[in-house]
């Protein structure tokens, strides 16, 4: 659907004083219907295609259909919007005419109104005395129609997938947790502040309006510096599905941080949401269906990397959002990381392999090398995806890799996360407080802990 309300608003903003409509009526032979103004008209003599001014409160397409019916007696024809024409009327006013076109069979009878006294079906290259603007439109349309497969934009738009569009904000608290709101309609759904774009809005305007309606907060006033940047975090394109049968294109913007004091002023619209909460990326996993959780992780990845990402749903089969890397050395030891004992993370207080979220458009190997560098201070080699099925406690969005390292343990340097890092003999790993999934992965390392396909060398 063409948003003529927006188009007329743009015309007014550009200094257009009056809106007009016109219809280029073609017959099957490609001729154009032209009608002549009667002798008693204010501007007698010129030939023109049917058209006139839009009446107050009238839609653009309805105005074009009315003028066509009044001036030719033809009603109920399917009109396709073609283009606009700017001109100046006899009173010196700037007019924008929205021009439509349609086709009728050869010999279709025409009944003229009192405003016109003659008619003819003219070939586009043999037009009678016609205004320059109308001649331009007819010749432009004729040239375009000669292009194989071309059709007026009004008809073309009916043949393509037109997604609905939404705009929303990613809002966090001072601890980096993400704001979500539980849907009143579907309590299993948690939304970011935002909604569908309405007529005349941009996605950013929509996000601001929806956030104020849903949270009771004007984010432009709460976080003026962040909102003024209009920072785009991600564009998410979703294919049509059983839940929503048309494509959807979403724009996610940075909404900044809400302090504890600002959070006390949140007032939900009960017609839309029943509760709000801030949760870590790890804890949202238990509250969201897998597809929505993956989308959240993708958006958070875009937010972390600082560069807008284009994201698709469904995602490519090889898409991932994090890694776990099992680093072994020639002595048959595994690099283990003692995790912080705090809520909101996976396996708090446990010993685990190195792991972490993906950044930007990293490959699994790049993700793994960076995480080991940040959390243990070493460079690894021989990175490979570990074969075999995932353990049920390891997310399908996590890639599990194996890598080799051949340096002294004194080179290990704990990063800014966790309590300790150290090399642990494979036979002793399960003596530590470790996640159950390690029982699944340790046997896969036994044949190649030195980064090759050969058995690892043992030292006494």
């Amino acid at each position: 659907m063409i948003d003529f309300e927006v188009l007329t608003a743009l015309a007014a903003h550009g200094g257009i004083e009056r809106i007009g409509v016109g219809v280029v009526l073609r017959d099957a032979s490609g001729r154009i219907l032209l009608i002549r103004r009667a002798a008693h008209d204010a501007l007698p003599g010129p030939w023109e295609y049917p058209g006139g001014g839009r009446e107050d409160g009238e839609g653009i397409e309805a105005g074009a259909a009315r003028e066509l019916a009044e001036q030719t007696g033809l009603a109920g024809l399917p009109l396709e919007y073609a283009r606009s024409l700017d001109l100046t009327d006899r009173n010196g006013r700037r007019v924008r005419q929205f021009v439509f076109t349609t086709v009728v069979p050869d010999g279709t009878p025409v009944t003229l109104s009192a405003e016109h006294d003659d008619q003819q079906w003219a070939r586009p290259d043999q037009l009678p005395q016609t205004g320059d603007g109308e001649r331009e439109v007819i010749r432009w349309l004729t040239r375009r129609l000669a292009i194989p497969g071309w059709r007026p934009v009004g008809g073309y738009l009916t043949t393509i997938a037109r997604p609905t569009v939404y705009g929303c904000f990613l809002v966090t608290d001072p601890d980096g947790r993400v704001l979500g709101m539980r849907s009143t309609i579907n309590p299993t759904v948690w939304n970011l502040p935002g909604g569908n774009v309405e007529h005349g809005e941009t996605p950013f305007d929509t996000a601001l309006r929806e956030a104020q309606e849903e949270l009771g907060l004007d984010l432009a006033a709460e976080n003026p510096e962040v909102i003024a940047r209009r920072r785009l975090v991600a564009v998410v394109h979703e294919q049509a599905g059983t839940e929503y049968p048309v494509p959807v294109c979403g724009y996610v913007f940075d909404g900044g941080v809400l302090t504890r004091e600002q959070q006390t002023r949140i007032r939900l619209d009960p017609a839309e949401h029943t509760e709000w909460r801030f949760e870590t990326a790890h804890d949202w996993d238990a509250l969201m269906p897998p597809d929505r959780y993956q989308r959240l992780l993708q958006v958070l990845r875009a937010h972390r990397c600082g560069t807008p990402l284009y994201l698709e749903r469904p995602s490519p089969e090889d898409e991932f959002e994090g890694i776990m890397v099992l680093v072994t050395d020639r002595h048959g030891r595994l690099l283990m990381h003692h995790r912080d004992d705090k809520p909101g993370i996976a396996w708090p207080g446990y010993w685990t392999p190195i792991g972490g979220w993906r950044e930007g458009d990293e490959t699994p190997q790049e993700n793994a090398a960076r995480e080991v560098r940040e959390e243990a201070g070493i460079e690894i080699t021989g990175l490979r995806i570990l074969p075999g099925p995932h353990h049920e406690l390891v997310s399908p969005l996590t890639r599990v890799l194996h890598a080799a390292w051949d340096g002294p343990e004194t080179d290990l340097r704990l990063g800014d996360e966790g309590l300790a890092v150290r090399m642990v003999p494979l036979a002793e790993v399960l003596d530590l407080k470790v996640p159950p999934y390690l029982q699944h992965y340790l046997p896969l390392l036994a044949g190649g802990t030195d980064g090759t396909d050969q058995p690892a060398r043992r030292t006494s």
Side-chain angles (χ1 to χ4, degrees), residues 429-446:
V429 168
L430 297 182
D431 295 334
L432 301 174
K433 183 182 179 182
V434 296
Y437 61 71
L438 274 173
Q439 297 186 42
H440 170 78
Y441 289 107
L442 286 178
L444 302 178
L445 302 176

Side-chain angles (χ1 to χ4, degrees), residues 24-42:
V24 178
L25 188 66
R26 299 137 43 213
D27 68 8
S29 298
R31 298 175 300 180
I32 309 297
L33 175 66
L34 295 173
I35 52 181
R36 188 176 66 185
R37 287 184 177 270
H40 58 76
D41 189 83

Side-chain angles (χ1 to χ4, degrees), residues 231-244:
R231 178 192 162 198
L232 177 65
V233 174
V235 176
V236 184
H237 185 273
E238 303 180 42
Q239 293 285 25
T242 54
E243 179 182 355
Y244 204 72

Side-chain angles (χ1 to χ4, degrees), residues 79-369:
L79 302 182
E80 293 184 338
Y81 174 65
R83 58 167 289 177
S84 65
L85 169 68
D86 288 354
L87 48 89
T88 302
D89 68 10
R90 59 176 178 263
N91 297 315
R93 294 176 298 184
R94 295 181 61 192
V95 178
R96 178 159 297 170
Q97 183 186 73
F98 292 96
V99 183
F100 296 78
T101 187
T102 191
V103 180
V104 295
D106 289 356
T108 297
V110 173
T111 303
L112 296 179
S113 69
E115 298 175 355
H116 299 87
D117 61 9
D118 202 359
Q119 60 162 309
Q120 63 171 293
W121 292 91
R123 297 184 59 82
D125 57 351
Q126 298 177 355
L127 299 177
Q129 180 185 355
T130 309
D132 291 340
E134 292 179 319
R135 187 177 295 268
E136 172 197 336
V137 168
I138 292 172
R139 289 180 173 174
W140 172 88
L141 182 60
T142 301
R143 288 194 300 270
R144 293 297 179 91
L145 288 169
I147 301 173
W150 185 87
R151 67 181 297 183
V153 62
Y156 171 71
L157 289 177
T158 66
T159 69
I160 60 176
R162 291 174 290 167
T164 59
V165 178
Y166 68 86
C168 65
F169 282 116
L170 178 67
V171 178
T172 61
D173 70 359
D175 297 321
R177 299 180 302 172
V178 178
L179 173 64
M181 302 175 299
R182 187 193 291 270
S183 169
T184 300
I185 298 174
N186 185 352
T188 66
V189 171
W190 291 82
N191 296 315
L192 300 180
N196 289 332
V197 173
E198 296 183 354
H199 293 303
E201 285 186 328
T202 66
F204 189 82
D205 292 337
T206 296
L208 272 178
R209 174 182 55 78
E210 289 282 350
Q212 185 158 13
E213 292 174 0
E214 294 175 348
L215 296 174
L217 296 178
D218 179 1
L219 290 184
E222 302 290 343
N223 296 326
E225 294 184 2
V226 173
I227 299 303
R229 295 191 195 101
R230 295 176 175 244
R231 178 192 162 198
L232 177 65
V233 174
V235 176
V236 184
H237 185 273
E238 303 180 42
Q239 293 285 25
T242 54
E243 179 182 355
Y244 204 72
V246 296
V248 179
C249 186
Y251 294 78
V252 185
F253 300 95
D254 185 4
V257 176
L258 288 183
T259 65
R260 302 289 189 270
E261 185 279 327
Q262 289 171 316
Q263 293 173 36
T264 64
R265 293 187 277 108
I266 292 177
R267 298 293 183 269
L268 296 182
D269 177 359
E272 295 198 52
H273 300 100
T274 58
E275 66 173 297
W276 59 270
R277 62 171 65 182
F278 287 89
E279 298 289 358
T280 65
H282 174 264
D283 285 347
W284 276 122
D285 187 16
L287 297 168
M288 291 182 170
D291 60 336
R292 287 183 175 269
Y293 181 60
Q294 180 178 14
R295 179 173 61 184
L296 175 64
L297 294 184
Q298 291 176 315
V299 169
L300 291 176
R301 170 160 57 95
H303 189 257
R304 286 194 305 273
C305 75
T307 300
L309 293 183
Y310 168 70
L311 309 170
E312 290 184 350
R313 288 186 61 203
S315 299
E317 291 185 1
D318 60 350
E319 194 68 63
F320 74 102
E321 293 303 326
I323 58 89
M324 179 173 68
V325 55
L326 297 105
V327 180
T328 56
D329 66 8
R330 61 191 179 89
H331 304 295
R333 298 180 300 180
L334 177 66
L335 178 61
M336 297 293 286
H337 181 230
H338 193 187
R339 295 179 62 77
D340 291 307
D341 192 0
K342 62 181 183 182
I345 66 172
W347 305 107
Y350 280 68
W351 287 87
T352 70
I354 298 290
W357 301 114
R358 182 185 185 187
E359 300 286 348
D361 57 357
E362 287 178 326
T363 65
Q365 290 78 6
E366 291 169 340
N367 190 173

Side-chain angles (χ1 to χ4, degrees), residues 40-58:
H40 58 76
D41 189 83
L43 290 174
W47 293 82
E48 61 189 10
Y49 49 69
R54 180 185 64 160
E55 296 182 351
D56 291 342
E58 187 176 46

Side-chain angles (χ1 to χ4, degrees), residues 371-393:
E371 287 290 344
V372 172
R373 186 182 310 117
E374 292 175 355
E375 296 186 16
I378 60 174
E379 298 294 333
I380 52 179
T381 60
L383 272 163
R384 65 187 178 96
I385 300 292
L386 198 64
H390 262 51
H391 189 274
E392 61 181 9
L393 294 179

